[in-house]
């Protein structure tokens, strides 16, 4: 039989989070520091993944060759600004990746070579290198030592410094037997002794995956991004065919077109702006999550977060703090409180969960009982809790002592002849209605079964969570609380938290069934959880946000991990997902709209010599055909740099309907995309016309 452990001295919920969100502000210094990476990305093998910019690269190379063959100020200026267009596109991606690499650099400091104290099958301790650990190995870590790898605490309790991972300076408690048992390699144990079972192989740890993800090395394009790439590639092919057809048309009209002008026309007509910024938008979306201490395992999850309809939240540890503590004993009539306390203590001596330890502490503090088991008690047979029986206890000296869910223990005791008095059921109902969890205690001695009374476990709803759920409701998201508690307790917590619906006495199969039912109705489902029993539901959901305080199984199943273990942060995740989609749509609208102004700049310049009537379309009154083309090419390149801050920061999201969002984007980015190039090209032409050989 295992003995009780010392009570936790602190909890991650005892102090407010102090981590500040930083690194999201764009500065010109980032442009300069990212230039070397932008030059390296001129490699055709890299640009081949972006069809729009690959066409611009080919056009730049051909223009440069023509400038060498037939030098002129016009040809060299056009060739140079075409190269700048490709370079600025690479710069946008490099700036986005650079911020992620800065995050990765700080994470690499967490990784260090450690010596692990591995337990062998005989109980001995063997010192091995941390890199030699395998999944399933058990290691001992004591105060002052670094945890050598990711895993779960299977024995003991300790305070752990996770500041290198989460940025939170306050130590947190990690303990066996609960949902706060997962530990991360590279964090430091500050007190006590724990045994950790390794759950990740070397090179596949949580920190390793974080580094790869924030650097963008393992980023894959999302379905939305792939679809947009196909659209951009299609538009590029259409404009390429159109521009190629202009050459024979000019020859037929008796005015052959300069190939450099045709290349400039093609580059200005294809959607270079969004083509250049598309990758940066996706990287920046994941980076914004990292800044908020959320690790997204894929860009697909970020996109899905912007479209979710239903949010399922586990009660314990998410809506409530999750550290339920025994607060009161309610003895049955004619049962002394001391007898109930002694039975509650005995039934919890071998219970390693936080709840079990709190029961022992309550009985010892209020009734002066001994926290340590006697020799006889150590030899007793412990009955473990199971999902089927929903109770646990102790068999000692011919007596059976059980505690657990009220209906399970009452059914067990009644089946052995115990009578159920109204005072017990009244206490159960009162505790449940007040949002607590009632545990009934019963015994069987000399063949006689008795119900001794009720233990009240109290949990606390996190402050401000009702307001946060109201925000989700304003976004059109339905919230559902899932709990294993009885319906009365679930209803009380749901009312206090302000959720739309709840599921009580839920099993892992019930959670899966609910998620599949929602998905069959065409809805996207998000789920937060921290326990091993949440893992199947996290894996099935479209967005599965696992708490960092949770088990390794939960973190492996989810496609996001919240390092702060704040389930209400899903609201920010949803906002970032919506912001990603809106930013991509807004810049696509702007990119396609600003082509209109380029038509008015370049087409009259190309054909006014053949068709003088087209000069009336030169509404900007650009000086010469050459200055018009150069001005359009320069604007086409500079607008990419101008939009990098917006691509990184994202378009601001305000909760509203899809039609309102569409209308606002069309007004701001559609109209703005038409007007801005007219002004920009006209201003650039005022300077370009002063260059000899162009103006």
């Amino acid at each position: 039989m295992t003995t009780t452990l010392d009570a936790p001295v602190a909890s991650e919920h005892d102090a407010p989070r102090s981590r500040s969100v930083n690194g999201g502000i764009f500065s010109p210094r980032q442009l300069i520091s990212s230039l070397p990476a932008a030059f390296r990305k001129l490699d055709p093998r890299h640009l081949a993944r972006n069809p729009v910019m690959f066409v611009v690269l080919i056009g730049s190379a051909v223009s440069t060759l023509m400038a060498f063959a037939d030098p002129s100020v016009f040809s060299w200026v056009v060739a140079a600004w075409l190269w700048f267009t490709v370079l600025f596109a690479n710069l946008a991606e490099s700036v986005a990746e650079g911020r992620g690499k800065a995050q990765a650099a700080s994470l690499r400091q967490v990784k260090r070579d450690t010596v692990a104290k591995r337990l062998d099958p005989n109980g001995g301790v063997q010192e091995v290198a941390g890199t030699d650990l395998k999944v399933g190995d058990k290691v001992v870590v004591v105060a002052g030592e670094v945890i050598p790898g990711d895993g779960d605490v299977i024995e003991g309790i300790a305070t752990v410094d996770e500041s290198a991972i989460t940025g939170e300076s306050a130590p947190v408690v990690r303990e066996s037997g609960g949902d706060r048992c997962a530990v991360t390699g590279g964090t430091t144990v500050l007190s006590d002794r724990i045994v950790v079972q390794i759950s990740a192989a070397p090179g596949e740890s949580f920190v390793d995956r974080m580094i790869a993800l924030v650097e963008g090395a393992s980023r894959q394009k999302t379905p939305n991004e792939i679809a947009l790439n196909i659209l951009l590639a299609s538009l590029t092919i259409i404009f390429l065919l159109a521009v190629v057809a202009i050459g024979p048309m000019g020859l037929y009209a008796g005015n052959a077109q300069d190939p450099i002008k045709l290349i400039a026309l093609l580059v200005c007509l294809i959607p270079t702006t969004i083509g250049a910024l598309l990758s940066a938008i996706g990287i920046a979306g994941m980076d914004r999550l990292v800044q908020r201490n959320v690790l997204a395992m894929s860009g697909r999850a970020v996109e899905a977060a912007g479209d979710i309809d239903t949010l399922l939240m586990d009660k314990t540890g998410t809506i409530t703090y999750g550290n339920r503590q025994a607060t009161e004993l309610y003895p049955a009539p004619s049962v002394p409180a001391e007898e109930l306390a002694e039975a509650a203590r005995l039934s919890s001596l071998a219970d390693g969960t936080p709840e079990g330890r709190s029961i022992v502490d309550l009985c010892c503090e209020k009734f002066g009982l001994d926290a340590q088991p006697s020799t006889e008690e150590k030899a007793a047979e412990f009955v473990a809790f199971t999902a089927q029986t929903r109770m646990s206890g102790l068999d000692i000296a011919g007596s059976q002592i059980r505690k657990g869910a009220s209906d399970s223990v009452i059914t067990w005791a009644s089946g052995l002849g115990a009578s159920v008095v109204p005072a017990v059921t009244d206490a159960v109902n009162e505790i449940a209605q007040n949002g607590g969890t009632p545990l009934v205690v019963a015994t069987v001695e000399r063949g006689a079964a008795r119900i001794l009374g009720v233990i009240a476990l109290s949990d606390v709803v996190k402050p401000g969570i009702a307001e946060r759920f109201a925000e989700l409701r304003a976004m059109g998201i339905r919230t559902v609380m899932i709990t294993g508690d009885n319906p009365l307790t679930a209803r009380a917590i749901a009312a206090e938290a302000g959720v739309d619906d709840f599921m009580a006495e839920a099993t892992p199969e019930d959670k899966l069934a609910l998620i599949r039912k929602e998905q069959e109705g065409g809805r996207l489902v998000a789920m937060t959880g921290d326990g091993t029993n949440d893992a199947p539901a996290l894996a099935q959901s479209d967005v599965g946000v696992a708490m960092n305080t949770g088990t390794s199984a939960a973190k492996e199943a989810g496609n996001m991990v919240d390092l702060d273990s704040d389930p209400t942060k899903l609201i920010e995740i949803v906002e970032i997902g919506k912001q990603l989609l809106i930013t991509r749509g807004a810049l696509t609208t702007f990119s396609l709209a600003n082509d209109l102004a380029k038509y008015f700049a370049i087409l009259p310049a190309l054909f006014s010599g053949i068709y003088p009537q087209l000069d009336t379309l030169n509404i900007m009154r650009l000086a010469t055909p050459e200055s018009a083309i150069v001005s359009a090419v320069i604007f086409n390149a500079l607008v990419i740099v101008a939009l990098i801050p917006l691509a990184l920061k994202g378009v601001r999201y305000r909760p509203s309907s899809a039609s309102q969002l569409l209308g606002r984007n069309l007004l701001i980015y559609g109209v703005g995309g038409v007007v801005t190039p007219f002004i920009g090209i006209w201003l650039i032409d005022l300077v370009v016309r002063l260059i000899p050989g162009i103006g």
Side-chain angles (χ1 to χ4, degrees), residues 160-212:
V160 180
D161 177 8
E162 294 187 341
S163 58
I165 302 294
T166 66
E168 169 58 51
S169 58
V172 297
V173 173
R174 292 293 174 260
E175 56 190 336
S176 63
D179 287 340
R180 294 199 299 273
C181 63
V183 290
T184 304
T187 57
T188 305
V189 173
L190 299 180
S191 69
D192 302 292
R193 171 189 182 275
I194 53 175
V195 177
V196 177
Q197 184 168 339
I198 300 298
S199 62
E204 300 175 4
S205 70
F206 191 62
V207 173
D208 289 314
R209 285 185 293 157
M210 285 180 69
I211 291 172

Side-chain angles (χ1 to χ4, degrees), residues 38-39 41-44 47 53-54 56-65 67-68 75-91 263 267 633 637 640:
F39 277 103
K41 289 179 182 292
L42 290 174
D43 186 342
L47 289 170
M53 299 317 301
F54 187 65
V56 180
L57 175 68
I58 295 175
S60 304
V62 173
S63 298
T64 303
L65 293 175
F68 274 111
S75 60
W76 278 114
V77 170
V78 170
W81 278 99
L82 290 180
W83 281 111
F84 282 136
T85 303
V86 182
L87 183 65
F88 293 160
N90 292 341
L91 187 63
I263 293 173
V267 171
V633 171
I640 295 173

Side-chain angles (χ1 to χ4, degrees), residues 72-378:
S72 68
V73 175
F74 172 75
S75 60
W76 278 114
V77 170
V78 170
W81 278 99
L82 290 180
W83 281 111
F84 282 136
T85 303
V86 182
L87 183 65
F88 293 160
N90 292 341
L91 187 63
E93 184 176 357
S94 298
V95 170
E97 289 179 351
R99 301 200 306 176
K101 288 177 180 178
Q103 296 269 0
S106 65
L107 287 171
R108 281 196 174 91
Q109 296 176 4
V110 176
K111 295 190 63 178
R112 65 187 82 173
D113 294 331
T114 57
V115 175
K117 298 177 180 178
R118 185 172 61 189
L119 291 175
D120 58 36
N122 300 323
V125 176
Q126 177 186 11
E127 290 193 352
V128 298
T131 53
D132 293 336
L133 293 174
K134 303 181 182 65
V135 176
D137 283 349
K138 298 175 183 178
V139 296
V140 178
V141 190
V142 298
E145 294 182 347
V146 175
I147 297 173
D150 293 0
D152 292 322
V153 179
I154 59 173
E155 181 183 320
I157 180 173
T159 53
V160 180
D161 177 8
E162 294 187 341
S163 58
I165 302 294
T166 66
E168 169 58 51
S169 58
V172 297
V173 173
R174 292 293 174 260
E175 56 190 336
S176 63
D179 287 340
R180 294 199 299 273
C181 63
V183 290
T184 304
T187 57
T188 305
V189 173
L190 299 180
S191 69
D192 302 292
R193 171 189 182 275
I194 53 175
V195 177
V196 177
Q197 184 168 339
I198 300 298
S199 62
E204 300 175 4
S205 70
F206 191 62
V207 173
D208 289 314
R209 285 185 293 157
M210 285 180 69
I211 291 172
L213 286 162
V214 299
E215 282 186 324
S218 63
R219 177 182 174 271
Q220 297 179 345
K221 291 183 178 179
T222 63
N224 182 286
E225 194 173 347
I226 293 172
L228 187 53
N229 265 316
I230 293 172
L231 172 62
L232 298 182
S234 302
L235 291 174
T236 301
I237 293 172
I238 292 171
F239 284 124
L240 178 62
L241 295 175
V243 171
V244 168
I246 290 176
M249 290 172 60
L251 287 174
Y252 180 78
N255 188 355
Q257 295 294 330
D258 185 350
I260 290 183
K261 292 182 179 180
L262 293 178
I263 293 173
L265 172 65
L266 174 62
V267 171
C268 289
L269 293 186
I270 62 178
T272 51
T273 304
I274 185 61
L277 298 173
L278 190 58
S279 180
I281 293 170
I283 295 173
M286 296 183 70
D287 180 59
R288 284 194 292 274
L289 281 178
V290 172
Q291 292 169 21
R292 288 161 176 80
N293 262 3
V294 178
L295 175 64
M297 301 301 180
S298 70
R300 182 191 297 265
V302 184
E303 273 190 6
D307 287 328
I308 66 168
D309 305 290
T310 304
L311 166 61
L312 309 182
M313 302 186 78
D314 185 48
K315 176 185 78 72
T316 305
T318 52
I319 292 175
T320 63
Y321 280 126
N323 52 345
R324 295 182 299 177
Q325 302 290 306
T327 55
E328 193 61 59
L329 299 179
Y330 294 83
S334 73
V335 175
E338 291 77 8
E339 183 180 356
L340 172 60
E342 178 61 28
R345 168 188 168 274
L346 286 171
S347 66
S348 305
L349 278 175
D351 187 347
T353 65
E355 292 85 356
R357 288 193 286 267
S358 74
I359 293 172
V360 174
D361 292 339
L362 176 66
C363 296
C364 295
E365 290 172 8
K366 291 193 68 173
F367 299 94
L369 302 178
D370 191 354
Q372 297 301 320
S374 64
T375 303
E376 181 185 9
E377 290 166 350
K378 288 182 180 180

Side-chain angles (χ1 to χ4, degrees), residues 312-541:
L312 309 182
M313 302 186 78
D314 185 48
K315 176 185 78 72
T316 305
T318 52
I319 292 175
T320 63
Y321 280 126
N323 52 345
R324 295 182 299 177
Q325 302 290 306
T327 55
E328 193 61 59
L329 299 179
Y330 294 83
S334 73
V335 175
E338 291 77 8
E339 183 180 356
L340 172 60
E342 178 61 28
R345 168 188 168 274
L346 286 171
S347 66
S348 305
L349 278 175
D351 187 347
T353 65
E355 292 85 356
R357 288 193 286 267
S358 74
I359 293 172
V360 174
D361 292 339
L362 176 66
C363 296
C364 295
E365 290 172 8
K366 291 193 68 173
F367 299 94
L369 302 178
D370 191 354
Q372 297 301 320
S374 64
T375 303
E376 181 185 9
E377 290 166 350
K378 288 182 180 180
E381 182 180 353
F382 173 59
V383 179
F385 176 89
T386 67
Q388 289 72 33
T389 63
R390 298 172 63 218
M391 59 183 180
S392 61
L394 201 69
D395 292 344
I396 181 171
S399 299
Q400 295 177 291
I401 306 171
R402 298 290 184 270
K403 77 167 192 306
S406 57
D407 55 341
S408 298
V409 175
I410 289 174
T411 300
W412 174 79
S414 300
L416 296 174
S419 58
V420 183
V421 295
V424 172
T425 55
D426 290 345
V428 168
N429 293 334
E430 180 184 352
I431 294 168
Q433 288 170 355
N434 291 332
T437 302
L439 298 180
V440 174
V441 180
T443 63
V444 178
E445 295 177 338
R446 301 182 185 89
R450 287 192 306 152
I451 296 177
L452 301 182
V454 187
I455 305 170
L457 298 180
S458 297
D459 204 350
V460 180
V461 173
K462 294 183 177 179
I465 200 165
E467 291 77 9
R468 301 286 272 174
F469 285 147
E471 292 179 38
L472 285 169
R473 198 172 295 111
M475 295 178 187
I477 298 173
R478 175 172 168 263
T479 54
V480 181
M481 182 186 78
I482 299 178
T483 177
D485 287 341
N486 63 69
L488 284 175
T489 302
R491 183 175 289 106
I493 296 292
E496 184 179 354
V499 296
D500 297 316
D501 200 357
F502 68 90
M503 173 184 284
E505 298 179 343
T507 65
E509 293 77 16
D510 293 333
K511 298 176 186 179
L512 270 178
L514 179 59
I515 291 174
R516 287 169 178 162
K517 180 181 177 181
E518 293 284 330
Q519 290 172 333
E520 287 170 1
R523 290 177 287 272
L524 294 183
V525 180
M527 165 83 184
T528 63
D530 56 1
T532 301
N533 63 334
D534 295 323
L538 288 170
Q540 176 67 34
S541 58

